[in-house]
Amino acid sequence: MNQLNRRQFFLRFSLATAGVVAFSKFGYSAIGSQPNQIRTEDFIETEITHGKIRGIRTEGVNIFKGIPYAGRVSGDRRFRRPAPLDPWTGVRDALQLGAPAIQAPRRNEPDPSEDCLFLNVWTPANDGKKRPVMFYNHGGGFVVGSGGAGGQDGANLARNFDVVVVEPNHRLGLLGFLYLDEIAGSDYAGSGNMGLLDITAGLKWVHDNIAEFGGDPNNVMIFGESGGGAKTSCLYALPEAAPYFNKASIESGPGVRMTDREIASETTEKLLKELNIDRKDWQKLLEIPAADLLAAQAKFTFVAPSLDKKNRTRGFGPVVDGVVLPHHPFDPTAPEISRNKPLLTGWNEDEYTFFAWERHDTESFKLDFAGLQAKLEPQYGDNARKIIEVYRKSRPNASAPDIFVAISSITMMGLGSINIAERKVKQNGAPVYLYNFGYKSENKIPGTDYPMGTPHAMDISFKFNNEVPPKAGEQPRMSFGGNRPERFTASHHFAELWTIFARTGKPAAEGVPEWPAYNLVDRPTMRIDSTCEVINNRFKEEVDMWRSIGRL
């Protein structure tokens, strides 16, 4: 993939995982993404630590957008912890989204800005009630995305399940994760994890303010999909974040490992060389316009860095610096600091079909079994034949494209999720629950007759309960999840499981079987669909094979 195509791909990928693009090929329109969809009934004011703010009450939900949760991160605060947030007088409007982090412009959002530390809150009422708080880390890898994406609009979760939803923006890319600790001095300690420390500042804001929004500061769930799952993995291991959340969910983004200092330092050196800056003159980085830094960043991989021992890529993401992030999130063990915090983790059954769509990959869906082996050999060598044999035995009716999708999906997101669940179980602390999302979209991958199934990112609108029947007088809208009405039931199941977990630490939903905690004997997995089921030892032969060749 050439550089231009890579940039285009990851931009589209990140926007989609953040839930903000209109999936025009499928006629998808994100719920709540258009201003004329909001019917304002009245304004509502509340007072928080730094002053009064004004939000809106619409259709039974109080919505506050663009609330600043920390101060300036531009100028002399670039690559450092935020400046203190200045209080304001009067009443500050919280009616529009705040600026997202530096990236390409985003649909229906303000222009990106270095000063991006804003968050959004959806609550049934500012009434002093102690509701569970669901704090969402947006997708988009570590380079794009925002807390204002339409597909993850929090109104339906708040309205239908009596929870408070919070979604922050934070620094991304090299502005959030450039490792300067070895060259820049004590003021820049933790520079490789500023994006995570921003999120932590958002969690502290929740602790200090969420009671004013009818939320319980002592019952906070962090969760996130794709890059947001990897961020959640890191927060689960982050000492500074530990006091501010009680449970977590890592969705299609298992962050088992992050970048080590050696790789992060090499990446910094390469950036300085790209910008023609001598190491001793690193402070010139403070003077370069953000747009020029973004252009330099585009020359590095957009893939989340160092997610396993064999993938030592050089991009911008969290750094295991021994201080802010003391160790890899789930390697070699689950983090001791979160031993007593319940965890959800899992993935979508057909993750790869999303990437096929984005990469315009139609050839994978023309494969025969000889072609499948040829396609797998560059990555798996002599094990390619064994892998195919195991999958053909476990899935006797599967076509070669079916098997390619299954292999690609589990290696992208599944094996890491299983690894996290196993290591959490071995900790003998709070329970962990493993899931697969399996509702099937009938939409076809463009240029093929192959259905999308359950692609990466499709879970976003489902778990936010944004797959709902049209209101009276509304035209039915076709979704990324297809057009079958069963999707409404699947979305309700998903959302109820997550909100009950946020409330109690144990996922449950009406009409859904009891979900046992994961263990190393039965290995129960909840398959989430319009009809949910618990499956023990799911994919056993396949997982055993991956373990035997050192991939798990």
Side-chain angles (χ1 to χ4, degrees):
M1 187 182 300
N2 64 39
Q3 190 66 47
L4 178 61
N5 286 341
R6 185 190 301 122
R7 288 200 297 272
Q8 291 172 338
F9 160 62
F10 277 103
L11 172 60
R12 290 195 299 268
F13 155 65
S14 308
L15 291 173
T17 53
V20 302
V21 294
F23 290 102
S24 57
K25 295 182 180 68
F26 307 120
Y28 173 77
S29 175
I31 291 175
S33 64
Q34 302 298 327
N36 61 11
Q37 289 179 300
I38 298 176
R39 181 171 62 88
T40 302
E41 296 170 355
D42 51 21
F43 293 98
I44 185 163
E45 294 182 6
T46 193
E47 186 163 7
I48 55 177
T49 49
H50 288 76
K52 292 182 179 180
I53 58 173
R54 177 187 295 116
I56 60 169
R57 181 164 185 82
T58 179
E59 299 179 348
V61 180
N62 294 348
I63 304 172
F64 300 83
K65 293 183 175 180
I67 305 171
Y69 66 84
R72 182 173 51 84
V73 289
S74 60
D76 63 351
R77 287 286 174 166
R78 182 181 279 181
F79 310 123
R80 295 175 59 192
R81 291 177 184 253
L85 180 61
D86 293 328
W88 54 86
T89 58
V91 181
R92 179 181 181 128
D93 279 345
L95 305 173
Q96 302 292 332
L97 296 173
I102 290 293
Q103 57 192 287
R106 298 175 59 79
R107 185 186 298 268
N108 297 323
E109 295 191 38
D111 290 338
S113 170
E114 281 198 70
D115 290 316
C116 61
L117 303 189
F118 302 96
L119 55 73
N120 311 308
V121 179
W122 293 262
T123 180
N126 293 62
D127 56 4
K129 184 177 177 181
K130 291 188 174 181
R131 297 176 177 87
V133 180
M134 301 181 71
F135 184 100
Y136 188 68
N137 298 307
H138 68 74
F142 299 110
V143 293
V144 295
S146 84
Q152 64 198 38
D153 183 281
N156 282 342
L157 272 187
R159 178 187 303 109
N160 298 334
F161 299 96
D162 198 35
V163 297
V164 179
V165 181
V166 181
E167 300 183 18
N169 296 343
H170 58 87
R171 281 174 283 182
L172 295 166
L174 68 84
L175 288 167
F177 299 101
L178 180 63
Y179 180 63
L180 296 172
D181 292 39
E182 296 175 8
I183 63 174
S186 59
D187 283 350
Y188 294 85
S191 57
N193 290 301
M194 284 298 141
L196 294 179
L197 290 173
D198 291 346
I199 299 172
T200 301
L203 284 167
K204 185 178 186 302
W205 182 95
V206 166
H207 182 268
D208 294 343
N209 291 283
I210 208 64
E212 300 300 324
F213 299 84
D216 184 353
N218 297 311
N219 190 14
V220 177
M221 170 187 172
I222 57 173
F223 68 128
E225 181 270 349
S226 193
K231 295 165 197 170
T232 302
S233 300
C234 292
L235 293 168
Y236 203 70
L238 205 74
E240 286 194 42
Y244 304 125
F245 72 93
N246 310 90
K247 53 188 75 71
S249 176
I250 300 167
E251 303 144 12
S252 293
V256 177
R257 294 177 60 84
M258 292 292 133
T259 306
D260 60 37
R261 282 176 288 191
E262 176 189 1
I263 295 295
S265 181
E266 291 176 7
T267 302
T268 301
E269 295 290 347
K270 288 180 179 294
L271 176 69
L272 292 172
K273 184 176 180 179
E274 174 65 31
L275 296 170
N276 197 28
I277 296 175
D278 190 271
R279 179 185 173 96
K280 71 178 186 303
D281 296 324
W282 68 268
Q283 287 183 315
K284 290 182 178 179
L285 289 168
L286 306 180
E287 303 166 4
I288 296 175
D292 293 344
L293 291 179
L294 188 63
Q297 175 184 299
K299 297 182 179 181
F300 290 76
T301 178
F302 281 64
V303 178
S306 292
L307 295 185
D308 60 58
K309 295 176 182 178
K310 298 177 182 178
N311 176 23
R312 295 170 68 80
T313 58
R314 289 168 174 80
F316 298 101
V319 179
V320 182
D321 59 8
V323 181
V324 175
L325 186 58
H327 46 72
H328 293 288
F330 286 90
D331 187 47
T333 62
E336 180 63 25
I337 198 168
S338 291
R339 167 189 288 270
N340 296 319
K341 296 179 180 182
L343 181 65
L344 280 169
T345 190
W347 75 100
N348 298 353
E349 288 179 350
D350 307 303
E351 300 272 2
Y352 180 74
T353 58
F354 172 86
F355 299 93
W357 166 49
E358 284 298 318
R359 295 168 183 170
H360 306 291
D361 174 14
T362 58
E363 293 304 308
S364 294
F365 304 96
K366 302 174 184 176
L367 290 171
D368 58 18
F369 284 103
L372 176 60
Q373 182 165 328
K375 191 173 182 70
L376 296 180
E377 280 176 347
Q379 183 174 2
Y380 298 108
D382 293 341
N383 286 317
R385 182 183 297 276
K386 177 180 180 179
I387 293 168
I388 294 170
E389 288 175 352
V390 169
Y391 272 78
R392 292 194 74 174
K393 182 178 180 181
S394 65
R395 303 168 188 243
N397 298 318
S399 66
D402 292 340
I403 289 177
F404 179 69
V405 169
I407 289 170
S408 300
S409 299
I410 199 169
T411 53
M412 282 178 165
M413 303 296 175
L415 297 180
S417 300
I418 293 169
N419 201 340
I420 284 174
E422 289 182 348
R423 289 177 177 178
K424 180 64 179 173
V425 167
K426 290 175 182 177
Q427 196 174 43
N428 294 316
V432 57
Y433 300 89
L434 185 67
Y435 76 91
N436 294 144
F437 180 43
Y439 179 83
K440 301 302 180 190
S441 170
E442 73 277 16
N443 292 326
K444 300 294 195 296
I445 298 171
T448 79
D449 289 325
Y450 198 91
M452 294 289 286
T454 318
H456 187 70
M458 196 178 90
D459 56 309
I460 298 172
S461 60
F462 280 74
K463 67 174 167 256
F464 276 93
N465 198 213
N466 286 338
E467 299 286 343
V468 292
K471 297 172 186 174
E474 279 189 346
Q475 290 295 317
R477 82 169 53 83
M478 190 171 181
S479 119
F480 193 37
N483 202 35
R484 294 186 292 114
E486 291 86 352
R487 74 184 190 276
F488 307 141
T489 302
S491 178
H492 192 278
H493 287 332
F494 208 148
E496 188 172 8
L497 287 166
W498 258 236
T499 53
I500 294 294
F501 178 75
R503 193 175 305 279
T504 68
K506 179 177 172 59
E510 185 176 355
V512 172
E514 182 176 355
W515 187 347
Y518 195 74
N519 64 74
L520 300 182
V521 179
D522 300 323
R523 299 179 183 272
T525 300
M526 176 65 79
R527 184 178 184 276
I528 301 171
D529 201 334
S530 54
T531 299
C532 299
E533 62 177 322
V534 175
I535 305 173
N536 288 337
N537 281 303
R538 193 168 197 209
F539 309 127
K540 180 182 186 306
E541 295 83 1
E542 298 162 10
V543 170
D544 287 347
M545 178 274 298
W546 290 117
R547 202 184 306 275
S548 74
I549 64 172
R551 296 280 174 159
L552 178 60

